[in-house]
Amino acid sequence: MKKNIGAMMACSALLAGLLSGCSGKETENGPANSAATDPAAKPAEVLTEIPLPIVKEPFTINYWRANDAKLTASMEGFADNKAYQKKAELTGIEAKFTHPPLGQQKDQFNLLIATKELPDVIYYNWADAVGGPEKMIEDGRIIRLNELIDQYAPNLKKIIDSDPEVRKQITLDDGTIYMFPLLKLDALKLNATSGLIMRKDWLDQLGLSVPTNIDEWYTVLKAFKEKDPNGNGKQDELPFTGNWGPGNLTKLHDLAPAFGVIGGFQMTGDKVEFGPIQPGYKDFLETMSKWYAEGLIDPEIMTNDGKAFDYKVTNNLAGAYQGGVFSGMGKYFNLMREGNPDFNLTGVPSPVAPDGTAYAAFNMNNKVLTYGEAITSGADEDKLKYIVQWMDFNYSPEGHDLFNFGIEGESYVKEGDAVKFTDTIFKNPQGLTYDQALASYALSIMDGPIDQDSKYLDALLTDEGQKQANVSWMTQSSDLTLPPIRLTTDEASQVTSIMSQINTYLNETMTAIINGQKPISEFDKMVDTIKGMGIEEAVKAHQAAYERYQAK
């Protein structure tokens, strides 16, 4: 019978002051770790490393997480992933995975969290949980992990204790830690994997340099439109385009930082503002309207799907767009280089704003993502210490390499301080693409409870254009973007109600101004309307959340 975790957690804080090291004797169930849940356990043990195996008598953890299409290209689910199989062998603990159908994880999570029978562990994007992890804890669905981490997770604890930014980002406003997260300690490099991309061979052919400001961008896009860089004798080039159109022109927000604004909440010093009601947003709309009228923007940017976008890139129509080093660059290098050896792409930093700074459209300094694994109230109290150790293994030196790179000698080899993936990944005998092949071995190419290692990125960036893009995007400043603040349940409810109306109105109005259906003079009316919809209250909620974040 499972013991009550609620009662256990009530006494865990009392035990925190009793924590001290002790010698490790083996018990019939595994290493002699005094349970954080047993008031009679004195003194409580604090692990300094994860013992292997964790238990002598194997047991199974029931684990719920969404599947990944890269993994399912060759496997049923994460139970078949080589890293998890090796982990089970080393730890004595196996995970029995339950995967909701791809694309249905939100609905299935909501159904799951409402049931009485919960799995032991849930991996999820907790930003999508209604009410956030705060409500999940309040409702007794998941548990607070602070004391358990202090005792049984030496590797994650070391990371938290050594990095103040990680501590701020991993905790809720009251200091609660609720998950073992996806970490990106080398944040700038790992987050600078998407940005603006341009045809480098077109620039070279036309004798143009990579543009650095919005005026130079206009010059380049105008040349792409008028000077036939694809050489087919037609004026069919699409100077700026985009993928997966949202039905409006918000894709153009990728260029808004050139005007000192972003298309949502932003920071000006320590003050939260709403970018689309700032003067710079009017300049953004006016410029985009001019570009659209002159045919510099793909008129189908609002509706392009993946197939249409692939067609435009591979048929030498697309001049510039926003994308990633893999799906937006590596994919097309592989598709185009054989038939068109001159094909080349380059990553371009955001055009500099009036203050001379190239601003990123998203925060590239986040080290703790909203994805992570939490322990539910359905977990057996007697097994909590072992579950926590099992989770912490991923952040240990051995687990770190295993879940970032796979099996040494099979999926990767070490060359000095560098990592090199083998032909199993790059020339997979089953015909898998490199990302599908790596997904069968490790989590780094997907997401998961790990500290993602930038060496995996270096090993996968095989083209000079990709490497250059990563370096270029790292030069952008995140000063306009908000840190990972947390709204309270009441604030989130209020902001959601306000912003659902504002975003709909904003998206419709900015689209109409840019495509010429409404004049630029409509901007002042748009600002007044957005203010009338309650934007100041939404800004105030974000300001309060920002100040709580800074006070952590």
Side-chain angles (χ1 to χ4, degrees), residues 67-78 81 436 439-440 446:
N67 232 326
D68 189 290
K70 291 185 286 296
L71 181 68
T72 57
S74 61
M75 297 178 168
E76 291 294 323
F78 283 91
N81 176 277
Q436 293 170 341
S440 69
M446 300 177 283

Side-chain angles (χ1 to χ4, degrees), residues 51 55 119 143 226 231 274 353 384 423 496:
V55 293
I143 67 172
E226 297 175 347
F274 189 60
L384 281 180
D423 285 350
T496 298

